[in-house]
């Protein structure tokens, strides 16, 4: 049986149409309710205001979806400005995300794609357990993705990641997967570019990652924030997501 067919079957069992960073968010874009750009103190206050919405969303999953998206959009702009003013902020984000023995994050909210909405309805608060783990204490730096039924891992991808900050204030996390584990038992090595291809064919990843691979580039996130409670990012396809910190489960 081909690996693609196995993955497709496991995804169907999980009840999730796609585990990827979404590519369209434009219809949610609206006038900012938080964004201000005057003084540093005002910038910090605006960041805190946006974060307070996201904290509530991560904890309760009851915050209005459009309000969550607006907060994510505002936070993205605000953190980019903050990173430009003080590059140490980006270093602190990386430490929170992947330092001190690693960090694991459960997907709480994603803006969803039009294709996903047609197949499974609008996805905002993510319905099952899906996690990402990062550990910059490993060599190379470790990234792992997992999809679960309850606490049982159906699929886990493992690879490495890098982190850079651009002059624009964007913090970019690039990654590639080199192995996959099925049903917490079967370990399968992935060839270069195979993870991108499998992701596109099964719905686990963005089709844009295939094009990046063809150009010799890696899949990526534009990372927005991470602290002791939540993490936020924009995927390479353009979508936004919110994660909640959980106990570290990487390296297994």
């Amino acid at each position: 049986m081909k690996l693609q067919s196995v993955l497709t079957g496991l995804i169907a069992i999980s009840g999730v149409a796609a585990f990827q960073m979404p590519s369209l968010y434009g219809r949610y874009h609206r006038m900012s309710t938080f964004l201000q750009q005057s003084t540093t103190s005002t910038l910090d206050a605006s960041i805190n205001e946006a974060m307070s919405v996201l904290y509530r969303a991560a904890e309760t999953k009851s915050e209005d979806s459009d309000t969550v998206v607006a907060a994510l959009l505002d936070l993205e702009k605000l953190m980019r400005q903050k990173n430009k003013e003080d590059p140490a902020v980006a270093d602190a984000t990386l430490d929170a995300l992947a330092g001190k023995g690693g960090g694991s994050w459960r997907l709480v909210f994603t803006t969803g794609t039009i294709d996903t909405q047609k197949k499974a309805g609008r996805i905002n608060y993510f319905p099952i357990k899906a996690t990402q783990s990062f550990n910059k204490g490993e060599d190379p730096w470790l990234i792992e993705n997992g999809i679960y039924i309850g606490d049982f891992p159906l699929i886990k991808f493992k690879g490495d990641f890098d982190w850079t900050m651009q002059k624009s204030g964007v913090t970019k996390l690039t990654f590639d997967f080199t192995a996959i584990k099925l049903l917490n038992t079967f370990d399968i090595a992935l060839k270069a570019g195979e993870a991108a291809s499998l992701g596109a064919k099964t719905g686990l990843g963005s089709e844009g990652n295939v094009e990046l691979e063809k150009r010799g580039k890696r899949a990526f996130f534009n990372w927005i924030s991470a602290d002791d409670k939540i993490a936020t990012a924009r995927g390479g396809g353009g979508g936004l997501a919110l994660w909640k910190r959980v106990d570290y489960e990487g390296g297994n």
Side-chain angles (χ1 to χ4, degrees):
M1 183 180 294
K2 291 184 177 180
L3 180 56
Q4 176 187 333
S5 299
V6 174
L7 290 177
T8 303
L10 291 175
I11 295 164
I13 292 171
S14 72
V16 175
F19 181 45
Q20 63 184 58
M21 293 304 299
S23 61
L24 295 175
Y25 67 92
R27 75 193 191 99
Y28 300 117
H29 194 84
R30 62 184 186 177
M31 290 296 293
S32 167
T33 56
F34 307 112
L35 188 59
Q36 304 174 55
Q37 300 182 15
S38 53
T39 65
T40 298
S41 60
T42 301
L43 177 62
D44 290 341
S46 298
I47 289 172
N48 291 338
E49 191 170 357
M51 290 290 286
S52 67
V53 172
L54 301 176
Y55 287 146
R56 292 195 300 270
E59 187 64 30
T60 69
K61 292 190 176 182
S62 62
E63 199 73 14
D64 175 74
S65 295
D66 288 347
T67 301
V68 175
V69 173
L72 286 166
L73 289 168
D74 288 343
L75 185 63
E76 179 180 40
K77 297 173 185 177
L78 292 162
M79 289 303 297
R80 188 177 301 173
Q81 183 178 346
K82 187 72 173 176
N83 289 338
K84 288 176 68 176
E85 291 182 0
D86 182 5
V89 171
D91 294 334
T93 297
L94 174 60
D95 285 340
L97 181 71
K100 299 178 181 178
S104 290
W105 308 86
R106 179 167 178 166
L107 184 61
V108 173
F109 184 97
T110 176
T111 52
T113 66
I114 288 178
D115 286 343
T116 299
Q117 290 174 26
K118 288 178 180 178
K119 294 176 182 178
R122 173 173 158 176
I123 293 179
N124 290 143
Y125 289 101
F126 207 68
I128 68 164
K129 182 178 178 181
T131 65
Q132 291 191 306
S133 299
F134 303 92
N135 191 341
K136 69 185 186 75
E138 299 284 344
D139 185 17
W141 290 0
L142 174 70
I143 179 174
E144 289 187 320
N145 282 5
I147 298 179
Y148 297 74
I149 290 293
D151 288 323
F152 180 76
L154 288 178
I155 310 167
K156 295 189 79 172
F157 286 87
K158 183 176 181 178
D160 68 277
F161 77 96
D162 292 306
W163 177 275
T164 57
M165 194 188 89
Q166 302 176 341
K167 291 181 179 179
S168 63
V170 171
T171 46
K172 178 167 285 191
L173 187 157
T174 61
F175 65 94
D176 192 18
F177 293 117
T178 56
I180 185 172
K181 177 174 279 191
L182 303 178
L183 303 173
N184 208 33
T185 302
F186 305 103
D187 292 301
I188 302 171
L190 297 176
K191 299 177 183 178
E194 192 172 6
S197 178
L198 282 170
K201 291 176 180 178
T202 62
L204 288 171
S206 168
E207 292 184 4
N209 292 340
V210 177
E211 296 304 315
L212 287 171
E213 176 65 30
K214 289 178 180 178
R215 300 199 303 269
K217 297 183 178 181
R218 285 153 58 102
F220 69 92
F221 294 101
N222 287 335
W223 213 268
I224 299 172
S225 71
D227 63 12
D228 61 339
K229 296 180 180 178
I230 63 171
T232 61
R234 180 185 294 280
L240 295 161
L242 165 67
W243 292 264
K244 178 180 180 179
R245 184 186 289 274
V246 295
D247 291 339
Y248 183 65
E249 50 190 46
N252 296 323

